Amino acid sequence: MSHKSITFHHPVAFWAGCLCVIAGVLAHLPMLAMAAPMHYRLAGMPMDNLMLTGMALVPLGVLLSGYGLMPRLAQMRRTLHGNLDPLPFHVADHVPLNREHWKLVGVLTLALAVDVMKPATIGFVMPGMSAEYGISGATAGLLALSALIGTTVGSIVWGRLGDLFGRRATILLSALMFMGTSICGAMPSFGWNLVMCFMMGAAAGGMLPITFTLMAETIPTAHRGWLLVALGGVGTSAGYLLASGAATLFEPAYSWRALWLLNLPTGALIVLLNRYIPESPRFLALAGLEDQARAVLLKFSGDQPPVRGSAPQPAQTHTHAAERIGMRQLLRGRHAAITWGLMVCAVAWGLANFGFLLWLPANLVKLGIDAQASAALLARSAVLALPGIAIVVACYQRWSSIRTLVLFIGLTAASLLLFFAIGAAGLRSNALTTAATVALLLSISGVIATLIPYAAEIYPVHLRSTGSGLIAGGSKLGGILGALLGVLGLFEHFMLSALLIALPMGLAAWLLMRRGIETRGHGLEAIQQVLSE
């Protein structure tokens, strides 16, 4: 592979920015070290000059690195005005997986695990944070709300940036923001923690759709589906495992602050592995960077040189300025029906996952199951649903992508309706309640495991990251709505909440069943050809 395809556009600015971020974080450590005899309690302490300097260095470093990652402006202007015709070749879609593919899969899985680890850490820091700042559990809950709002904004904004500046650039910039937000571990006030938690959420929300987009554009067609679904399942599980493991290892000795400080080494690890994160060849071709696109293609096609016109390019050969308007095309153009179906599903999933499931233990008690038995039932149901990811992967890969997605959306709606029926009929059956719980846990896991991968396959190259980010943001928006509706008491009404979430789930299944198209076994360009007919 040509060295050009993995270098930065302004390397001095990028690495100078990285050093500024690291220096800014390290500037917070002396004050934290002085608090070691008090078990690192900093609440109410004034910030010293070194800490204030560090706070200034972090955003400066992010801006510098962002400039270093940005494509050359002259090239970007030519692309945005549609003066270039992307090269009529794409990744060798029929080659077997090789070492380069597996390197990319490994690094992106690690990136996604680190990404999931950040918001998952919130649950582990809240008790210690509440005790140190002397705040109530409800006030501490603002931390989770701040992170959810950040992930929603980040998914949409960073998704768009991924289409403008490149997949690789946004992944690395997201990792840099992880590094910068580690100063949250040295903040003396709860308010600053809220700000940093929002920024951390924005970085995490941006990483998710970009990793799926880059994976979809580099993995051969025969393996794209199952690897996308497996990436989400393995990355998510590993992220929660890392969060719980870090809390067990570091929190007793170094307090909750250590969990935030881990953002520095974990984010730096992604940056140091940047050589294994190539830019998407499809994005490079779209940007008119012919030599770099050819170099990446050569690397992933097993050293068989891609020839101009070696494969048909039916739908994405030309991208004119009118097509690059952005999100309006997703909501009004030929992708509109699929986008609305995916978006309704994403919001309903967020309501189910961050609302209905969070209140399920309390509602099971209302069904006559005591609190201890309720916890045991949920744990047993989670174990029974665990093999579900293998079922999802098998269905998505061997049966059908769109039918698998619709199946699990429909199963989620049916599970919620079963809870509604249990409550309406006054049934008190442990077996029936367990069946409904297992079905719900399995189905919502299947929905989120297939939702973002399908979005990463269905959109054209100039909107793929935007579309994936929009759908990912929709799932977090549903989480925000779920949290707000929980505060308003909706989920205390067990049957009503189950019914109200089942209805949009059913609507999403109907929309996607009518307008969704098959992606299994089809190249990304062929998918766009079907949509354009």
Side-chain angles (χ1 to χ4, degrees), residues 486-532:
V487 172
L488 295 175
L490 172 66
F491 296 106
E492 295 177 11
H493 303 283
F494 185 56
M495 294 184 295
L496 177 63
S497 60
L499 182 62
L500 288 180
I501 300 174
L503 291 177
M505 275 290 183
L507 173 62
W510 177 76
L511 285 170
L512 292 172
M513 189 166 53
R514 288 187 67 246
R515 303 304 296 271
I517 68 167
E518 185 58 60
T519 62
R520 174 184 170 271
H522 299 293
L524 297 179
E525 286 73 26
I527 293 169
Q528 296 311 306
Q529 183 182 34
V530 172
L531 283 168
S532 64

Side-chain angles (χ1 to χ4, degrees), residues 21-371:
V21 171
I22 293 171
V25 174
L26 295 180
H28 288 72
L29 298 187
M31 186 171 176
L32 186 64
M34 287 190 295
M38 300 179 292
H39 197 57
Y40 305 98
R41 292 178 64 90
L42 295 176
M45 292 186 181
M47 295 186 185
D48 59 21
N49 290 333
L50 184 61
M51 185 179 284
L52 292 172
T53 301
M55 290 189 70
L57 283 173
V58 168
L60 174 64
V62 171
L63 290 174
L64 263 177
S65 292
Y67 172 73
L69 290 166
M70 186 180 295
R72 289 185 169 85
L73 295 179
Q75 179 66 61
M76 199 169 68
R77 281 194 294 269
R78 291 172 62 201
T79 303
L80 290 175
H81 285 84
N83 295 327
L84 292 173
D85 291 332
L87 296 175
F89 63 86
H90 58 288
V91 166
D93 280 336
H94 304 290
V95 300
L97 292 174
N98 58 41
R99 183 166 54 182
E100 299 304 327
H101 292 118
W102 286 116
K103 285 180 185 177
L104 178 64
V105 170
V107 174
L108 291 185
T109 301
L110 174 65
L112 191 58
V114 169
D115 176 69
V116 172
M117 177 188 175
K118 305 311 175 187
T121 300
I122 292 174
F124 297 99
V125 304
M126 282 174 62
M129 186 181 290
S130 299
E132 179 172 343
Y133 292 122
I135 55 179
S136 66
T139 303
L142 292 174
L143 202 69
L145 183 60
S146 176
L148 271 175
I149 294 173
T151 55
T152 304
V153 174
S155 294
I156 296 171
V157 172
W158 289 79
R160 190 64 190 133
L161 290 178
D163 282 331
L164 292 176
F165 302 135
R167 289 63 162 125
R168 178 174 182 261
T170 47
I171 288 174
L172 294 178
L173 199 55
S174 180
L176 271 169
M177 286 185 65
F178 283 152
M179 293 166 59
T181 55
S182 62
I183 64 174
C184 190
M187 289 294 102
S189 70
F190 179 66
W192 275 112
N193 275 277
L194 289 180
V195 173
M196 291 300 158
C197 205
F198 172 85
M199 299 303 295
M200 182 199 67
M207 181 80 80
L208 177 68
I210 305 299
T211 53
F212 280 103
T213 297
L214 180 56
M215 180 82 86
E217 292 179 341
T218 50
I219 297 298
T221 300
H223 303 281
R224 188 182 65 227
W226 76 266
L227 273 176
L228 283 173
V229 177
L231 171 69
V234 174
T236 300
S237 301
Y240 282 106
L241 183 62
L242 286 172
S244 59
T248 303
L249 287 174
F250 299 111
E251 193 168 8
Y254 303 105
S255 85
W256 60 270
R257 295 182 179 276
L259 301 185
W260 288 139
L261 292 172
L262 284 175
N263 287 5
L264 177 62
T266 51
L269 181 61
I270 298 173
V271 174
L272 291 175
L273 292 173
N274 76 84
R275 61 174 299 179
Y276 300 113
I277 308 176
E279 183 53 86
S280 160
R282 286 179 166 92
F283 174 82
L284 291 171
L286 179 70
L289 302 174
E290 177 177 340
D291 292 341
Q292 294 188 31
R294 287 182 180 276
V296 178
L297 286 168
L298 182 63
K299 182 177 182 179
F300 284 100
S301 60
D303 293 331
Q304 299 176 11
V307 180
R308 185 186 293 268
S310 61
Q313 302 291 308
Q316 280 179 221
T317 306
H318 304 281
T319 302
H320 300 291
E323 292 183 303
R324 297 185 62 90
I325 294 173
M327 209 166 291
R328 278 186 292 174
Q329 183 181 340
L330 299 180
L331 300 174
R332 299 179 187 175
R334 63 178 185 265
H335 296 84
I338 295 177
T339 299
W340 284 113
L342 294 174
M343 194 65 180
V344 170
C345 172
V347 174
W349 180 88
L351 285 168
N353 190 66
F354 296 101
F356 189 85
L357 270 183
L358 288 180
W359 287 81
L360 188 56
N363 285 324
L364 289 177
V365 173
K366 292 182 180 180
L367 290 177
I369 302 173
D370 65 69

Side-chain angles (χ1 to χ4, degrees), residues 345 349 405 408-409 412 442-451 505:
C345 172
W349 180 88
L405 177 57
F408 282 98
I409 295 172
T412 303
L442 171 62
S443 59
I444 65 171
S445 298
V447 168
I448 199 60
T450 54
L451 186 66
M505 275 290 183

